[in-house]
Amino acid sequence: MPTKSQKVNKSTNLYDPLEYRATEYALATYTGLAFIHIAKNKQDASVKADATSKSSATSSKKSPPLYEVQKLNEVYLKDRNVSRFVEYVEDKFAVCLFKDDHIYLVNRKKESVVAKIKNPLGKSCNYEICVIPNFHLQTLPFLFVRDDKSLYLLGVGENYLKLLKLHAAKYESVTSY
Amino acid sequence: MKELSKEYLITRGKYNMLDVLEIGTLKYVKTLDTKGCGVFSSISHLETQRAYTGCYEGNIFTIDLENLSILKDGGTSKLKQGIYDMVILPNSDRILVCAQHFGYLEFVSTENDKLTVLEGGV
């Protein structure tokens, strides 16, 4: 499960399943966009309580870790090398793959890759993808994408899926690295 | 380049040190010495005026956002691999989760400005 993670679902939700998702995190891995669940170890509190009441023989036992990590079965773009991603609205991700000429939109509610947008400059190493200031899915649905060739605006609105080149890199990489 | 606070951002400068710039004007403010370590990731915790940066060798540095300085005593730590990204768990414990190269995840306590690697990393 190699790699880099980013926080998902920062906001608190009212709907129960999403409340659970507040403790889930997405990982960009060499084998796809994966998800983990991090929770405080429930045994921890009980062990501490036990430790105070029991003899020294039991207190010498190693206490369990404070947090537990559980890998979820949910994986998108399986076996692909995910280089960067951003959750631009709840459960919607824009995902970049290493040396690929598309950016993929993943919808967790639909449990699928719902769109892919072609990079007009071809395969690239994507270094950054982030939402623009004042991002709004209806009124200002754009992300910044930076790769080794250019800086782009990526439209992720329902009727506007497009990559717009903003500024070419001063020294473009021929080898895409 | 990463946003450090509402006023400042950091960018990797000469000799892998961190340059602090003003967000509004992009004016240079000061340089933070990371001892040659190339910083990959950072995250800020504005309530406590602290930022945490991770480098490709697994070092974490704590930045005091009030004084724009790197904390020395206990404010640095070394993990297994390069740190790609970090998140702060949304509870009062202020635990840093560091995602590293080769898939390591480690939990780091930031209590009292002392970075302590916790059990439970995977």
Side-chain angles (χ1 to χ4, degrees), chain B residues 8-26:
Chain B
Y8 303 110
L9 54 84
I10 45 171
T11 180
R12 215 156 70 191
K14 260 188 179 176
Y15 310 116
N16 274 340
M17 292 198 278
L18 286 177
D19 289 338
V20 181
L21 310 178
E22 268 182 20
I23 279 185
T25 60
L26 294 183

Side-chain angles (χ1 to χ4, degrees), chain A residues 53-126:
Chain A
S53 62
K54 286 183 182 173
S55 65
S56 59
T58 52
S59 62
S60 64
K61 267 187 179 178
K62 200 174 177 184
S63 59
L66 195 57
Y67 287 91
E68 277 184 332
V69 180
Q70 181 193 351
K71 191 168 185 273
L72 306 183
N73 290 327
E74 195 178 355
V75 180
Y76 301 97
L77 299 160
K78 207 171 178 182
D79 298 328
R80 309 291 299 275
N81 184 352
V82 176
S83 58
R84 287 284 187 274
F85 70 86
V86 65
E87 185 182 28
Y88 55 94
V89 289
E90 201 170 270
D91 284 335
K92 291 185 176 179
F93 294 80
V95 183
C96 301
L97 301 182
F98 182 68
K99 289 191 179 178
D100 191 281
D101 50 3
H102 288 89
I103 293 169
Y104 299 82
L105 302 186
V106 169
N107 188 327
R108 279 190 91 187
K109 282 177 188 156
K110 293 183 179 171
E111 297 183 351
S112 62
V113 176
V114 291
K116 60 179 189 177
I117 300 122
K118 190 167 173 60
N119 184 338
L121 299 182
K123 291 181 182 180
S124 75
C125 274
N126 297 288

Side-chain angles (χ1 to χ4, degrees), chain A residues 1-7 22 25 27 30 36 38 40 62-69 84 128, chain B residues 1 84-91 93 95 97 99-105 107 118-120 122:
Chain A
M1 194 178 61
T3 236
K4 331 118 203 183
S5 79
Q6 284 190 14
K7 188 176 180 181
Y25 295 82
L27 293 175
Y30 293 130
I36 55 170
I38 296 178
K40 212 161 187 178
K62 200 174 177 184
S63 59
L66 195 57
Y67 287 91
E68 277 184 332
V69 180
R84 287 284 187 274
E128 297 286 346
Chain B
M1 186 183 288
Y84 279 116
D85 206 353
M86 295 188 280
V87 292
I88 298 174
L89 291 182
N91 56 32
D93 293 344
I95 302 290
V97 184
Q100 301 163 72
H101 195 46
F102 297 125
Y104 289 110
L105 281 177
F107 296 91
L118 302 176
E119 296 284 328
V122 289

Side-chain angles (χ1 to χ4, degrees), chain B residues 37-93:
Chain B
C37 297
V39 166
F40 259 29
S41 53
S42 86
I43 191 160
S44 299
H45 193 262
L46 296 181
E47 288 87 349
T48 51
Q49 287 289 291
R50 293 288 182 267
Y52 304 94
T53 60
C55 88
Y56 65 83
E57 286 176 342
N59 295 298
I60 307 174
F61 301 94
T62 307
I63 299 173
D64 179 345
L65 296 179
E66 281 171 346
N67 304 318
L68 289 178
S69 60
I70 292 179
L71 297 185
K72 284 180 182 158
D73 299 328
T76 59
S77 187
K78 177 83 167 72
L79 303 185
K80 287 189 184 82
Q81 293 286 336
I83 303 164
Y84 279 116
D85 206 353
M86 295 188 280
V87 292
I88 298 174
L89 291 182
N91 56 32
S92 56
D93 293 344

